[in-house]
Amino acid sequence: MPLMTLTLILTILISNLMIFIALTLNKKSSNDIEKISPFECGFDPHSNPRIPFSIHFFLITIIFLIFDVEIAILIPIIMIFSISNLNQWFIISTFFILILIAGLYYEWNQNMLNWTN
């Protein structure tokens, strides 16, 4: 046990030392506004160089990924229908689908499924 504790302490010390050295030797300076401002051929930019990110698009993407994973879980449930006990299969499948419907109802109730606000 003492060897494990010593190894943990050494690992933490070495990693903290490496972080400190990296921060000390870092050549970036966030204090200079001219260096971090956008540059267009020597002129001030006419428009914002960064496109604003739509949080609604992000939410729709997350909802899609969640339901995509759920479909990947539903396929094996269908495949094991023939080799499992019918009562257990029905209870597990019903419970899983009820959880999916409850999640869909919650998202619908929060107006996450509307494309326009």
Side-chain angles (χ1 to χ4, degrees), residues 30-62:
S30 62
N31 298 334
D32 194 5
I33 299 296
E34 288 296 322
K35 287 185 180 179
I36 62 171
S37 65
F39 182 73
E40 284 185 14
C41 301
F43 300 103
D44 289 332
H46 295 290
S47 64
N48 189 5
R50 292 181 178 91
I51 299 171
F53 184 72
S54 172
I55 193 72
H56 188 70
F57 177 74
F58 178 73
L59 288 175
I60 295 294
T61 306
I62 294 298

Side-chain angles (χ1 to χ4, degrees), residues 36-107:
I36 62 171
S37 65
F39 182 73
E40 284 185 14
C41 301
F43 300 103
D44 289 332
H46 295 290
S47 64
N48 189 5
R50 292 181 178 91
I51 299 171
F53 184 72
S54 172
I55 193 72
H56 188 70
F57 177 74
F58 178 73
L59 288 175
I60 295 294
T61 306
I62 294 298
I63 290 169
F64 172 76
L65 286 175
I66 289 170
F67 279 103
D68 194 38
V69 169
E70 291 165 354
I71 288 174
I73 293 172
L74 277 175
I75 291 173
I77 288 176
I78 296 168
M79 301 276 243
I80 64 167
F81 174 71
S82 62
I83 61 172
S84 67
N85 184 359
L86 184 61
N87 290 332
Q88 289 178 346
W89 180 87
F90 183 73
I91 291 170
I92 291 172
S93 300
T94 304
F95 183 68
F96 185 73
I97 291 173
L98 285 176
I99 290 173
L100 291 181
I101 291 172
L104 181 62
Y105 175 74
Y106 177 76
E107 290 167 355

